[in-house]
Amino acid sequence: MKILDGKALSITLQEEIKIQVTKSVAQGHRAPHLAAIIVGDNPASRVYVGHKIKACERVGFKSSLFQEPKDITQEALIARVEALNVDPSIDGFIVQLPLPNHIDALGVTLSIDPDNDVDGFHPMNLGKMALGLETYIPATPYGIMLLLERYAIETSGKDVVVVGRSNIVGTPMSILLSRNAKVGNATVTLTHSRTKNLSEILKKADIIIAAIGRANFITTEMVKEGAVIIDVGINSVEDPTRKSGYRLVGDVDFENVAEKTSFITPVPGGVGPLTVAALLMNTMKSYYKKFN
Ligand code: NDP
């Protein structure tokens, strides 16, 4: 069993980005600029946005954070998005999810100019991705594609099972791995809460991508000997031995499943850090469109 070290790969990718930024700034261009809008005081969202801002500092990006109150109206939030759409000093921005229940998240996504949509959630960008055109690929699936590529994990002809069909992880992941591309050409089964016989389907998988949001859901009897496992899940479970009283675990019962696999991502330290690096890479792509 080998650990797919997302944290280490994220550091490598960020070092590569930093070199590009340094070169561009030395040529007289301004630094790349990523902005984030956060609504309300969801603690997890604050942590995720905090990681993104810190990563910006590491690679030499400028970052801006727009903190909006939790009772902001749909109109006011869209006005904020529209102001960022026309700000030439910004290369891309994200609206951190989840949004409060009174906000129509799709309406907000649709108001983002696809050219600034470095999260890759706008239908225009998702459509381009499905067609294999140049675009911003949603950060988590993009990070997983980079992980598979850099660890030279063969996907062509492999049976991949994706568990979870969200618009931001499972669905784009299944499309990307089905495509006729360097990382791709897999036979992909996209599963969800209505899937029958999930255990039987998982047992045949060469590669499992778990994006469910249920702690330790995938257990050892569901996994084939030698399978590759990418665990996207981030779940908080009680742990009285920790000062905080909790710890983070994935969707896969890592302790028992790991030894049966050929490669596996840990949680934390797997997919999460790659999501951040992928977001920076999308922002860099937008920046280069302006300066190259
Ligand atoms: P969603 O809640 O949007 O989607 C969860 C998916 O899991 C749904 O498609 C749901 O099916 C499916 N599901 C739920 N229960 C079962 C079950 N018993 N059997 C099979 N499928 C099931 O989640 P996200 O995709 O946004 O996130 C998934 C996990 O990944 C979360 O833990 C999240 O925190 C984490 N995450 C991590 C990121 C990272 O950077 N590491 C980034 C984004 C998310 P149905 O559609 O039928 O309801």
Side-chain angles (χ1 to χ4, degrees):
M1 180 271 292
K2 197 169 173 200
I3 296 285
L4 294 168
D5 190 341
K7 194 173 173 189
L9 177 55
S10 177
I11 290 169
T12 303
L13 293 168
Q14 288 178 46
E15 280 164 359
E16 291 171 10
I17 295 167
K18 190 174 180 176
I19 291 168
Q20 294 169 28
V21 173
T22 308
K23 195 172 154 197
S24 185
V25 170
Q27 285 167 352
H29 302 307
R30 65 161 173 79
H33 184 181
L34 174 67
I37 301 174
I38 186 167
V39 179
D41 46 17
N42 179 323
S45 293
R46 280 172 181 270
V47 170
Y48 296 145
V49 169
H51 287 156
K52 291 166 189 175
I53 300 240
K54 277 205 188 96
C56 283
E57 284 164 14
R58 272 197 297 276
V59 301
F61 281 18
K62 183 177 174 197
S63 66
S64 299
L65 177 59
F66 297 90
Q67 171 72 62
E68 303 296 346
K70 64 173 183 286
D71 58 354
I72 189 171
T73 62
Q74 179 88 9
E75 294 69 33
L77 184 53
I78 288 182
R80 162 61 69 206
V81 166
E82 285 172 348
L84 296 186
N85 278 340
V86 295
D87 183 338
S89 77
I90 287 175
D91 298 298
F93 64 91
I94 62 162
V95 181
Q96 183 65 40
L97 299 176
L99 291 168
N101 288 337
H102 70 279
I103 299 283
D104 163 24
L106 179 60
V108 174
T109 301
L110 288 171
S111 71
I112 299 174
D113 180 339
D115 282 340
N116 288 325
D117 169 41
V118 284
D119 252 342
F121 296 163
H122 191 285
M124 176 79 87
N125 288 324
L126 286 171
K128 284 184 176 174
M129 183 202 73
L131 297 176
L133 302 173
E134 186 63 30
T135 188
Y136 306 121
I137 294 171
T140 301
Y142 187 16
I144 294 170
M145 296 294 277
L146 291 164
L147 183 74
L148 294 170
E149 185 183 9
R150 297 286 178 110
Y151 273 90
I153 290 175
E154 184 60 81
T155 55
S156 179
K158 300 292 179 188
D159 287 321
V160 174
V161 176
V162 179
V163 196
R165 58 177 162 186
S166 72
N167 291 338
I168 62 170
V169 189
T171 294
M173 198 67 248
S174 68
I175 295 169
L176 288 166
L177 286 172
S178 315
R179 273 179 8 195
N180 182 358
K182 191 172 154 211
V183 180
N185 286 317
T187 305
V188 182
T189 306
L190 180 58
T191 65
H192 44 77
S193 68
R194 311 287 177 91
T195 299
K196 284 186 188 151
N197 302 324
L198 180 59
S199 289
E200 296 308 311
I201 295 169
L202 284 170
K203 252 185 249 173
K204 294 190 187 125
D206 301 308
I207 301 174
I208 294 172
I209 301 183
I212 315 163
R214 291 186 172 221
N216 302 322
F217 179 87
I218 294 181
T219 52
T220 174
E221 63 280 4
M222 299 177 185
V223 175
K224 178 168 92 173
E225 197 75 46
V228 175
I229 297 198
I230 312 289
D231 190 354
V232 184
I234 302 175
N235 309 289
S236 172
V237 294
E238 277 184 27
D239 184 348
T241 68
R242 299 277 175 103
K243 207 171 146 194
S244 60
Y246 74 91
R247 74 194 152 92
L248 297 179
V249 299
D251 291 340
V252 178
D253 176 16
F254 183 92
E255 247 170 59
N256 298 304
V257 171
E259 60 187 23
K260 212 174 171 186
T261 65
S262 54
F263 292 93
I264 187 166
T265 56
V267 177
V271 174
L274 290 170
T275 298
V276 175
L279 176 67
L280 299 178
M281 288 172 76
N282 276 342
T283 308
M284 206 62 207
K285 197 178 276 181
S286 170
Y287 172 79
Y288 272 142
K289 274 198 230 155
K290 292 177 182 147
F291 291 116
N292 272 355

